[in-house]
């Protein structure tokens, strides 16, 4: 079992709809959770960080964390073609700055 | 914001050349930086953790004599690919972490990456 798992996709969503990206992790002592967006040929860009159970909203993005079920998700509302990218879920333990990345989900927003 | 600058963006050079890549945190101090490599259509692969003032910690399978890391200040880490060969061609990306804040772990902020092509 991989430490951090994501559906590799591709995930296709029509423009204006909600895109839902999911991530599960195996290490129960994981403490910090991050979503990065990576456009083709570019480096990752931080979208959201979440540390506590529940929802965290930032503009069109909402991160959801459920430590009991060991999953973290990212919702993108009113999806735009510019949201088309690979989304990376990353997890770290308390006190450890090293990140464990999922393999990424490729998202395509169709106009 | 947390800005990380990586230089150069592109390198094309002959086999056997050594190549140095710089990673700078522009508006914060970074005790810890990371170096990744990414091949096409694959996820990031961590190569090493760079610690200011001490030796880097390399991941299993990464040759420390081939990939030399120096973190001489709180804002600069360098990766030198020594005697590069075509199989070293890849996208190299650094990241930097602000010192731990009240919420615990801070996110990694990535540089723009360096595309290395060895002929």
């Amino acid at each position: 079992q991989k430490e951090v798992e994501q559906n590799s996709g591709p995930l296709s969503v029509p423009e204006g709809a909600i895109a839902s990206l999911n991530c599960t992790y195996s290490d129960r002592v994981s403490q910090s959770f991050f979503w990065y967006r990576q456009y083709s040929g570019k480096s990752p860009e931080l979208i959201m960080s979440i540390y506590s159970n529940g929802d965290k909203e930032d503009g069109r993005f909402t991160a959801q964390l459920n430590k009991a079920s060991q999953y973290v998700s990212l919702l993108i509302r009113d999806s735009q073609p510019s949201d088309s990218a690979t989304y990376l879920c990353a997890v770290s333990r308390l006190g450890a700055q090293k990140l464990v990345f999922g393999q990424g989900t490729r998202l395509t927003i169709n106009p | 914001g947390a800005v990380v600058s990586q230089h150069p963006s592109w390198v094309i050079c002959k086999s056997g050349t050594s190549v140095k890549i710089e990673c700078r945190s522009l508006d914060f101090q970074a005790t810890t930086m990371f170096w990744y490599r990414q091949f096409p259509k694959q996820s990031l692969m961590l190569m090493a953790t760079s610690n200011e003032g001490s030796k880097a910690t390399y991941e299993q399978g990464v040759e420390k004599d081939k990939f030399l890391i120096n973190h001489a200040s709180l804002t600069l880490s360098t990766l030198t690919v020594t005697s590069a060969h075509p199989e070293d061609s890849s996208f190299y990306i650094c990241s930097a972490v602000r010192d731990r804040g009240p919420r615990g772990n801070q996110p990694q902020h990535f540089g723009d990456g360096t595309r290395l092509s060895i002929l």
Side-chain angles (χ1 to χ4, degrees), chain A residues 31-32 34 36 38 40-46 49 51-52 56 88 92-99 101-104, chain B residues 31-32 34 36 38 42-44 46 49 59 91 93 97-100 103-113 115:
Chain A
Q31 182 75 13
S32 304
F34 307 97
Y36 288 87
Q38 187 175 24
S40 181
K42 303 293 185 182
S43 66
E45 172 192 9
L46 180 67
S49 59
Y51 305 94
S52 305
K56 179 182 177 182
L88 299 167
S92 68
R93 288 183 164 199
L94 178 64
Q97 292 170 320
K98 190 163 93 169
L99 289 177
F101 283 89
Q103 70 270 36
Chain B
T31 303
T32 304
F34 297 89
Y36 295 85
Q38 187 175 38
Q42 294 186 24
S43 191
L44 299 169
L46 179 65
T49 303
E59 295 300 301
F91 189 42
I93 314 171
V97 180
R98 201 189 294 266
D99 284 345
R100 200 174 305 165
R103 277 189 170 275
N105 289 6
Q106 292 294 303
Q108 292 183 21
H109 298 278
F110 287 86
D112 288 339
R115 199 160 298 282

Side-chain angles (χ1 to χ4, degrees), chain A residues 20-87:
Chain A
S20 178
L21 303 161
N22 299 311
C23 172
T24 59
Y25 60 94
S26 60
D27 190 344
R28 284 198 168 273
V29 299
S30 297
Q31 182 75 13
S32 304
F33 307 86
F34 307 97
W35 283 100
Y36 288 87
R37 176 176 63 196
Q38 187 175 24
Y39 291 115
S40 181
K42 303 293 185 182
S43 66
E45 172 192 9
L46 180 67
I47 298 296
M48 294 281 284
S49 59
I50 187 166
Y51 305 94
S52 305
N53 279 327
D55 295 0
K56 179 182 177 182
E57 187 174 317
D58 184 1
R60 295 186 297 112
F61 300 97
T62 299
Q64 299 174 318
L65 174 60
N66 184 323
K67 290 187 178 181
S69 300
Q70 294 177 239
Y71 85 77
V72 56
S73 63
L74 180 69
L75 301 177
I76 306 175
R77 288 182 300 283
D78 188 23
S79 297
Q80 304 296 309
S82 58
D83 295 327
S84 298
T86 295
Y87 288 80

Side-chain angles (χ1 to χ4, degrees), chain B residues 4 6 11-13 17 21-22 38 41 49 53 57 62 64 69 72 79 81 104 106-108 110 112 117:
Chain B
V4 177
Q6 189 173 339
V11 179
I12 301 174
C13 57
T17 306
I21 304 170
E22 291 188 350
Q38 187 175 38
K41 299 191 186 302
T49 303
T57 305
V62 178
K64 62 181 179 182
I69 292 172
L79 169 68
V81 183
Q106 292 294 303
Q108 292 183 21
F110 287 86
D112 288 339
S117 295

